[in-house]
Amino acid sequence: MKTLVKTLLLITGLVMAACSREGGGMFGGDSGAGYDAVLPDDGGVTPESVAYFQSTIGDRVLFAVDQSTLSPEGRTLLADQADWLLQNVGYSAIVEGHADEQGTREYNLALGARRASTVREFLISRGVSAARLRSVSYGKERPIELCSDEICYRQNRRAVTVLSAGLSG
């Protein structure tokens, strides 16, 4: 059963990657939702775009095992996210909390919720309106790395800030 799930996730990822390369839109975060990135005619990325946010600012914060506290690196990245969000008020965000595959489904959903809440509260403390931010936990259900090794676990212990245009408060 575990092999079937991994195979299905791999196929889904390949399909999503192929769609994004064929001009089907920009894909952000881990949710696979389409985004309206602002791209000038020359194909460059502007500082107001989702693509700029993801590649230059960074959309994810990593966490230690069983932790929802921010590292110094995480605080620095989130301060940059908050500054970007304050300058680009036309965007709202969903903060996704994730966990690695270790532990029960219930434990990891709660851990993901704590991670997402920590990030959301940090952004609010930096001046981003709470009305522009939501949080959701996916626990261990949406891994970005599939292997039972610390290298993969480390990437899956994260919170991702997924932007969307509109609905600012």
Side-chain angles (χ1 to χ4, degrees), residues 2 4 8 10 14 22 24 31-32 37 56 71 76 85 99 112 116 120 129 133 135 139 143 148:
K2 196 173 192 179
L4 176 63
L8 289 173
L10 177 63
L14 291 173
E22 294 179 14
S31 63
T56 304
S71 66
T76 299
L85 286 164
R120 182 177 183 272
S129 169
L133 301 170
S135 61
S148 295

Side-chain angles (χ1 to χ4, degrees), residues 9 17 66 90 94 109 118-119 125 127 153:
L9 286 170
D66 294 327
I94 298 174
L109 281 170
T118 296
V119 169
S125 77
Y153 294 157

Side-chain angles (χ1 to χ4, degrees), residues 84-135:
W84 189 92
L85 286 164
L86 290 170
Q87 293 172 11
N88 296 280
V89 296
Y91 288 95
S92 59
I94 298 174
V95 180
E96 299 177 344
H98 300 271
D100 62 34
E101 71 181 52
Q102 302 174 94
T104 66
R105 181 177 188 276
E106 294 77 18
Y107 177 82
N108 284 318
L109 281 170
L111 180 58
R114 288 192 306 273
R115 288 173 174 165
S117 178
T118 296
V119 169
R120 182 177 183 272
E121 293 304 315
F122 183 90
L123 294 172
I124 291 169
S125 77
R126 297 293 295 230
V128 179
S129 169
R132 295 174 58 199
L133 301 170
R134 292 188 314 134
S135 61

